[in-house]
Amino acid sequence: MRISNNISSKPFNTFGINAPISTLIEIQSIQDLHFLDSKKAYRVLGGGSNILITNELKDNVLLIDIKGKDIIKDSEKYVLIKVGAGENWHHTVLWALDNEFGGIENLSLIPGKCGAAPMQNIGAYGVEIKDVLHSIYCYDLHMKQEFTFHHSECGFDYRTSHFKTSWKDRFIITSIVLKLSKAPFHVINTTYGAIQSQLTEKGIINPGIREVSNTVIEIRQSKLPDPSIVGNAGSFFKNPIVSNEKYLGIKALFSDIVAYPSSGKKKLAAGWLIDNCGWKGFEDPSGAGTYGKQALVIINNGNASGNDILAFSKRISESVYEKYGVELEPEVNIWP
């Protein structure tokens, strides 16, 4: 455990927001958690890739840095991999590929740490982490003891889970267990987005998991800014899900609207809605803006504060509601 006082949040969030952190506690083992005071309030920080900090963080901030990868079961068709919450997610994907383990190749190049992945139920190109998650090891700050939850207990839904809602700031994820396929039992998913078309352009008819991963990386790099260069947290808003009736009403007025089936409803492409309200590539005097290649990504062009970016995001959502009658919900977590 390492404790730092009165430091800047800038190195710990991909938006590059410079706000004071009163106390930062780096957690490097489960044993470190036993020393925490259950009566104090804590905020849990991973890679800082899905948060927007708007003010000074006066609560104690826990930086989870528990490492390690272990194969805990190895069968003919699959393996169970226990991964520390502090491991980098994309590096874990690459490690799986190096070992010919499949199931998370569509989630390549998503920033952040493994512990935050199930909290947000990260997803991309037709795959969500809940599809490959076996179980989660946690520490209960209130009861000061460890628990293990099966994936079915975690309340996974579109970009959310109990860890983001009712269990927030109580259960700290210490490690996750992924159920990954072994060759030749991989299930290749190329149905979402531009994956199939790009593979076809390359003449790849029967792609493997590495080829799918490489294609996803190419697509993401062509559409999304590198947070080490341009401050951002990826997609700022969730893709809104509406009833079929609502969708048909919008489509009657805007015939080219982009939407996908979603459990008997329609998932609208938030980027398309924002783009068609004229926001793509917009630069605000505050330093907030939208990325020129993807309107769904709000960026920090310079020294925008968290409140600048939050106010800018509200202007975007208000304009989308005014034009389409659709509410946009942030995918990014707003702190505090």
Side-chain angles (χ1 to χ4, degrees), residues 191-241:
T191 60
Y192 199 95
I195 297 178
Q196 186 59 61
S197 61
Q198 294 216 180
L199 288 168
T200 301
E201 285 180 14
K202 296 176 183 178
I204 300 173
I205 307 301
N206 296 306
I209 55 176
R210 175 73 69 173
E211 290 162 321
V212 171
S213 173
N214 289 340
T215 302
V216 168
I217 290 171
E218 290 172 8
I219 294 170
R220 290 183 69 90
Q221 288 178 333
S222 71
K223 294 171 59 178
L224 302 173
D226 182 341
S228 66
I229 300 172
V230 179
N232 76 96
S235 299
F236 193 91
F237 298 101
K238 297 179 182 181
N239 289 320
I241 297 174

Side-chain angles (χ1 to χ4, degrees), residues 101-118:
F101 301 145
I104 53 177
E105 56 276 1
N106 291 52
L107 304 179
S108 298
L109 210 62
I110 294 178
K113 294 185 178 180
C114 289

